[in-house]
Amino acid sequence: QLQASGGGLVQAGGSLRLSCAASGSIFSINAMGWYRQAPGKQRERVATITSGGTTNYADSVNGRFTISRHNTNNTMYLQMNSLKPEDTAVYYCMITYRRRWYDNAADYWGQGTLVTVSS
């Protein structure tokens, strides 16, 4: 189960920090990532981070957003700086993990948190 939080309304140029906490039975976590979906558009990848800490960003957010993870409490963050109106979207967290040692890894999605950037 994933719980995302931290969305809200911010002016262009401002910052927000999103959080995503995984709870329940977790044996091991593989990749973690943030995705977003703007009105009338398809969901797109924003940033991902592997179990080893390797990060990858969409070109549109590279240099402005930073993804990080806290392994001990199964939490992931997205620090968003220099926000633009085109960053307005519902942001979803996704974590790939194994619930028990005998399970295959699967993707689990959070409920989404709305980020609105005003011009």
Side-chain angles (χ1 to χ4, degrees):
Q1 186 174 5
L2 303 185
Q3 182 68 40
S5 61
L9 174 64
V10 63
Q11 289 189 329
S15 298
L16 281 175
R17 188 190 194 209
L18 305 184
S19 299
C20 179
S23 61
S25 177
I26 300 173
F27 176 74
S28 64
I29 293 178
N30 297 353
M32 309 173 94
W34 288 96
Y35 295 74
R36 68 185 181 187
Q37 187 167 17
K41 295 187 177 182
Q42 290 187 330
R43 188 174 299 188
E44 64 176 356
R45 179 186 61 85
V46 176
T48 58
I49 183 168
T50 68
S51 58
T54 300
T55 58
N56 190 276
Y57 297 93
D59 291 340
S60 59
V61 308
N62 198 21
R64 299 187 297 121
F65 292 9
T66 302
I67 188 172
S68 60
R69 59 189 288 174
H70 197 293
N71 291 332
T72 56
N73 61 7
N74 299 324
T75 303
M76 172 177 61
Y77 307 95
L78 185 68
Q79 178 66 42
M80 306 185 294
N81 299 327
S82 302
L83 282 161
K84 304 175 181 180
E86 51 263 43
D87 293 320
T88 296
V90 177
Y91 284 70
Y92 298 89
C93 58
M94 191 278 290
I95 301 179
T96 303
Y97 67 90
R98 297 165 66 187
R99 296 186 63 188
R100 291 167 289 269
W101 67 268
Y102 50 82
D103 286 329
N104 292 323
D107 297 338
Y108 295 86
W109 291 85
Q111 83 284 8
T113 184
L114 177 62
V115 172
T116 303
V117 184
S118 62
S119 57

